[in-house]
Amino acid sequence: MPFTTYGLSAPILEGIRAMGYTTPTPIQARAIPLIMAGRDVIGSAQTGTGKTAAFSLPILSQMGAHQPNPRFMVLEPTRELAAQVETAIHDFARFTDLKTAVLYGGVGYGKQMDSLQAGADIIIATPGRLLDHLERGTCKLNHIKYLVLDEADRMLDMGFLPDVRRIVEKCPKERLTSLFSATIPPQIETLIQWTMTNPETIEIGARRSVAETVSHALYPVAEAQKTDLLLALLEKTNYDSVIVFCRTKHGADQIGSLLKRNNHAAAILHSNRTQGEREEALLGFRQGKYEVLVATDIASRGLDIADVSHVINFDVPQHPEDYIHRIGRTGRAEASGDALTLMVAGDAAEVFAIERFIARKIPRNKLDNFTYTYTALFEEEKAGAKGTFPGKVRGARIRGGYFFAPGRRR
Ligand code: AMP
């Protein structure tokens, strides 16, 4: 169904046209009518599905003309997400006179105070900085009518739920609330019961699904050859833009320096970098100044970095969910993408968990013309594990960090 069938306001439809959207994505098709009808919505959808528009378009359509008090508020776990969502909302609302303010920490208060004093209709904020503004009296929430808790499970992981509660307590009870979360652990369930009224849950595809357009490959390698293999992969892969994920900030710094020394236009993104450095890295990557972004998991959730042709996991993610978040950077908006994961012997248990989580076996690849040194992982392949999805082998178990199908001897 086209966007025109939902009763969205004329300026918002004009904004959608200007964005070049022609057809609603599945989550938009489900969420827009519900929010237009005044329902609270819980949304669970894989990254890159268009959830920002799914909640923003119906809310913006109902807001009418500018008023000097914030009426629509979105809480986000990170500064980058807050900035990204503000840009999207600003774009959707470009043919209205609605004003936005984005509030996050790590930067001065001046610009944020100016946008609040100018009378923002819409606030996009991270919890800590918003609380600062509330305590200073520079922002009031007593007119909030539309509340969106985005990436709720991420806010939980980051320890923000007490702040979120304090913020929600300051909003009027009479309001519309939407919550987006990839998973609904018990704490989020409690938050839902406490903040929402008779919510409708929308689940688009399986919670664990990965974009169909992404091809996956594992590259088993000896620990000592990891960086050589990364360089060789970058050399041989025909990439336009690639994010290299590392497990630690220190690791990201080291890989970033290595790539720069090898003449790759690389930027580094992790939480120990200053806000200015983070913004410069993201902007430079988006604009093509950097072809490689070396990042920790901070960049893996929700960030809309368009046109990433490849994701390389230099380190296997420790949690299977993070694999999905990381590779969600590629294959977005149904563009095709490749996800390559370097794997050392000690990673076998994590790889096994990922394969179970995404319910598919990831093929093991060897890079042509790369001189491999021995790794026990190659024994696993020779022994015939290749092509067998461990999650489906009855009695399969992990022994000493390796996957063994039943009956196979070590
Ligand atoms: P999101 O999941 O909100 O981060 O959106 C992911 C990307 O999809 C963003 O670049 C959006 O601009 C884009 N997008 C969202 N909705 C649509 C749509 N209906 N048609 C085309 N692109 C869209």
Side-chain angles (χ1 to χ4, degrees), residues 3 19-25 28 47-53 84 302 304 332-333:
F3 280 108
M19 295 288 284
Y21 298 178
T22 50
T23 324
T25 64
Q28 290 163 4
T47 53
T49 50
K51 72 179 154 92
T52 314
Q84 177 182 302
D304 182 24
R332 289 169 72 82

Side-chain angles (χ1 to χ4, degrees), residues 23-103:
T23 324
T25 64
I27 193 163
Q28 290 163 4
R30 299 276 314 277
I32 293 173
L34 286 168
I35 299 176
M36 286 301 283
R39 291 290 304 272
D40 282 3
V41 166
I42 300 168
S44 146
Q46 65 190 91
T47 53
T49 50
K51 72 179 154 92
T52 314
F55 65 75
S56 303
L57 302 176
I59 294 176
L60 292 169
S61 286
Q62 293 173 68
M63 287 183 73
H66 166 70
Q67 290 173 23
N69 296 302
R71 287 173 290 144
F72 171 17
M73 178 165 73
V74 186
L75 291 185
E76 293 288 345
T78 65
R79 311 161 196 179
E80 283 81 6
L81 273 170
Q84 177 182 302
V85 167
E86 197 256 348
T87 305
I89 290 181
H90 191 265
D91 286 344
F92 300 143
R94 76 177 88 169
F95 297 108
T96 72
D97 60 354
L98 297 170
K99 295 183 174 160
T100 58
V102 60
L103 313 175

Side-chain angles (χ1 to χ4, degrees), residues 317-325 350 353-358:
Q318 267 169 320
H319 305 293
E321 297 91 334
D322 286 332
Y323 183 77
I324 296 196
H325 287 299
E350 280 90 1
I354 290 167
E355 291 183 320
R356 280 221 334 192
F357 195 73
I358 64 171

Side-chain angles (χ1 to χ4, degrees), residues 72-274:
F72 171 17
M73 178 165 73
V74 186
L75 291 185
E76 293 288 345
T78 65
R79 311 161 196 179
E80 283 81 6
L81 273 170
Q84 177 182 302
V85 167
E86 197 256 348
T87 305
I89 290 181
H90 191 265
D91 286 344
F92 300 143
R94 76 177 88 169
F95 297 108
T96 72
D97 60 354
L98 297 170
K99 295 183 174 160
T100 58
V102 60
L103 313 175
Y104 50 73
V107 293
Y109 284 79
K111 218 172 131 199
Q112 300 182 0
M113 303 277 244
D114 290 347
S115 54
L116 288 168
Q117 270 157 15
D121 298 89
I122 305 155
I123 291 178
I124 302 98
T126 55
R129 176 58 66 96
L130 177 64
L131 279 173
D132 288 349
H133 279 285
L134 295 175
E135 271 153 28
R136 288 166 177 234
T138 44
C139 175
K140 292 214 160 37
L141 303 181
N142 52 338
H143 287 85
I144 294 293
K145 216 174 149 201
Y146 306 96
L147 173 66
V148 176
L149 306 175
D150 198 15
E151 304 269 336
D153 50 353
R154 182 72 170 150
M155 293 207 270
L156 167 72
D157 287 352
M158 294 173 80
F160 291 161
L161 279 206
D163 286 354
V164 170
R165 277 180 163 255
R166 285 173 61 203
I167 292 165
V168 176
E169 269 165 10
K170 295 191 192 315
C171 297
K173 289 216 159 45
E174 195 74 14
R175 60 163 197 267
L176 216 72
T177 307
S178 296
L179 178 141
F180 291 84
S181 197
T183 55
I184 312 281
Q187 297 95 322
I188 299 293
E189 194 64 62
T190 310
L191 182 73
I192 287 170
Q193 279 163 17
W194 185 73
T195 54
M196 306 182 82
T197 313
N198 189 24
E200 180 84 25
T201 302
I202 305 172
E203 205 169 321
I204 299 299
R207 273 195 190 137
R208 295 166 175 186
S209 63
V210 288
E212 293 299 324
T213 46
V214 180
S215 63
H216 307 249
L218 281 164
Y219 283 84
V221 66
E223 182 80 51
Q225 283 195 304
K226 264 182 109 174
T227 49
D228 288 343
L229 183 62
L230 173 68
L231 289 172
L233 279 170
L234 285 172
E235 194 79 5
K236 303 238 167 82
T237 309
N238 191 11
Y239 68 85
D240 299 321
S241 57
V242 52
I243 305 186
V244 176
F245 280 107
C246 298
R247 204 173 279 171
T248 64
K249 297 165 199 169
H250 180 63
D253 283 334
Q254 283 190 321
I255 295 299
S257 309
L258 172 84
L259 296 183
K260 285 181 200 168
R261 283 200 305 278
N262 282 273
N263 301 321
H264 289 283
I268 303 167
L269 184 72
H270 60 64
S271 58
N272 274 8
R273 310 216 81 206
T274 65

